[in-house]
Structures are given as C-alpha cells and as structure tokens.
Amino acid sequence: SPDLRWRRIRRPVVITGGELTLEMLDLRYNRQSNYYTAPLHIKANGGVFLIDDFGRQIISPRDLLNRWILPLEERIDYLSLATGKKFAVPFEQLIIFSTNLDPRELVDEAFLRRIRHKIKIDSPPRELYTDIFRLCCQQRNIPFSQAAVDYLYTNFYDQGKPPRSSDPRDLLEIVQSICRFKDRQELLSPELMAEATGRFFCQI
C-alpha cells in the first residue's frame, strides 16, 4: 500500500495586488477558534508569489521591501505568535514584482540589487499580438477574425498607441458584454469592434 505520509501536489501560486498590506505578511490569530492564519508569502513557500501592480499598494514599496530585506537575503523569515514568541520559517519561493512604473522611482539602488533579475516586457510585435488575439478568441468561443486585428492596427496601433498583450482579453470581454446586453451573436464585425474599442480606448 502507498505511504500515506506522501502526497503528490502542485506548487502553490499566490497572487496579490493593490490590496496588499503589511498586516497580511504576519500571522493572524483568531482568538475565538484559537488558530493562526499563515501570511501570503508563507502560503507561497515552494512555489510562486506574484505581487501585481507593485507600487500601487496601500503601503509604500519601501515599507514592503524593508519588511523583506532579511528574508530576501537569508531565505528565512521570522514570525511572531500572539504570546510574543518568534520562530523562523523558510522563505523559499519565486517572488515576482510586476509593475508598469519605473522601478527606479519606487525604490533605491540598494533594494534593486536585492531584486536580482529585471525583465522589461515591451509591446508585442504584430505576429505575436495576432497569436494572442486568436488564443483569446478560442478561450471564449468567439470566431477569430483577422479583419478585427487589422482594424485595431489601422485605427489605433499604427497611429501611435502601443499594443499591449492584455488588450485582446480586455477587448473581447467588452465584446461579450455588448453581445449579451443586445442579445447578439458574438461575431467580430466592424460595427462591434468600433463600439468595443470606443469604450475601451475612451473614445465615447
């Protein structure tokens, strides 16, 4: 029989955004039930911890990184119980800071050194954008239309507005909302694209 002490699991992925506070990085004690809730980064141990929209949290980026200056270097964090006793826990996860702000405006050079790898994600080329658009259509059961992509480039992207990899997802969600409201079939007609882009790109 199998050894029940072992389980095959998937590595955890924890995502947080602008709602992140310093209190969410400490143990939370429930006095009624007499148990602790682990902080987000401990739940992500052995996996990935993604901080989206870094720099737009309620707390400042400096305060957040001050909290993690020791764990980032030594891969160990210290948590406090309600009694005041502290204990060490592993700090072993891949931390990803995602932001559309200039990192040099958020933190100083000392903190940037502790975030070893910086990867700039530029606007996708037209071929890749088309593949993303096609994939988003498949995920939503919307027939792909090359004419819809051409419409976006002719009226927006070739006019100076940089394309973003998230644009197809957001635009198609607007398309679906319009079609549900008007009880129409989800086809990427020029009229529907004009209405969706007018709302998405603030051209109402």
Side-chain angles (χ1 to χ4, degrees), residues 118-168:
K118 294 88 172 173
I119 302 174
K120 182 179 180 181
I121 301 178
D122 290 317
S123 299
R126 184 163 183 164
E127 181 180 356
L128 178 57
Y129 183 93
T130 303
D131 291 340
I132 296 172
F133 198 97
R134 181 182 288 107
L135 176 61
C136 289
C137 286
Q138 292 174 357
Q139 293 172 339
R140 291 160 179 79
N141 295 319
I142 298 176
F144 171 75
S145 170
Q146 182 62 48
V149 177
D150 296 339
Y151 176 89
L152 291 171
Y153 272 89
T154 300
N155 293 278
F156 299 98
Y157 302 142
D158 288 342
Q159 304 301 320
K161 184 173 184 61
R164 296 175 297 184
S165 298
S166 60
D167 283 355

